Amino acid sequence: MSTPPESPPSPEPMRSPAASLVRKTAYIAAPGTIVFALLYYFGSLYIKAYYTTLGVLPEDLAFSIQGTVANSTDVIFLPVCVFLIGGLMSFLVLGRLTRRLDGPGQDARRRTTINWLLLLGVGVVLLGFGAFVWEVLPTERAQRFLPALIVAAGATLAVFAVHVRLTARTSARDRPPSDNRLWLVGGTLLLALLALSLFYDMSQYVAAVARGDARVRTDGGYRDAQVVVVHSRVPLAHYAPGITPRDRGPGFGPYRYEYRGFRIIAKAPNRFYLVSHTSRWESRVVLALPDDGTVWMEIRGVM
């Protein structure tokens, strides 16, 4: 009796080079998109806080996407480096802790460490939320930054506990699959809480730096701003100190009124934002002139 011939093995599905290229591109593009979105967000936050402090409407300035992103790179460089160094140190500590508690012979010691880390982390998180809700910290700067940092520290400790629990080599009966899934979900939520806390603190830091930069520029008398001479068809009503007006008379063309002592701090598509060269933080006055043909600016450069 003859045996039926064996059927040839089915060929493996061919993967097209185009599909492989698309998949590799997605691995690169997805993180790049997130980073670009964060840069744009922090740049727009800096622009809003900076120009609002100066007395300029940031919605009028119409910054481009490239200009918005460029405003974020300098301000976030230092905190990002601090976060990266802190993450590296935490990674090294976590790796050393995991190695010391690994193995079946460390079950009791590992459970004790996990419990203490988890309880301490949750307690610190609750402490941070309490400081955030009830505003118990003594200074405004501490109230602005410390609660989120406390929450991030507590979430880090709790993540340590979850990592030790999920990666340690133990017996099968000590780690049922359903229990591992619960720990994995808890660790994911803790990581989300950690990222949200750091994001909140970064936003507060960018806004504080922007307001500080605007304050320094105002106290310095806007030395980096361009000096302009304003020529107007009609007299300008303003309260800016240190401005020298001049009426050239009715025979001097349409722009008979001249004003010296202004500096231009921003230009919107439909208006100019001017300040006096003597303006300081305590006596700041911003003049918004419409760009409708009533005035023209003679730019003298930076003095």
Side-chain angles (χ1 to χ4, degrees), residues 1 5 19 32 37 39 58 83 86 90 109 116 123-124 139 159 163-164 168 171 194 202 213 217 235 244 246 255 258:
M1 183 175 180
L39 289 175
F83 288 157
S90 300
R109 188 178 180 185
W116 274 106
V124 173
T139 63
V159 167
H163 178 79
V164 172
S171 59
L194 174 62
M202 180 74 80
D213 289 347
R217 188 184 185 192
T244 305
R246 179 183 179 187
Y255 297 94
E258 178 184 286

Side-chain angles (χ1 to χ4, degrees), residues 158-187:
V159 167
F160 277 20
V162 174
H163 178 79
V164 172
R165 178 66 178 84
L166 293 177
T167 58
R169 293 193 298 268
T170 59
S171 59
R173 61 181 178 83
D174 193 41
R175 297 176 62 184
S178 59
D179 190 38
N180 286 347
R181 284 195 294 269
L182 292 176
W183 280 88
L184 184 60
V185 171

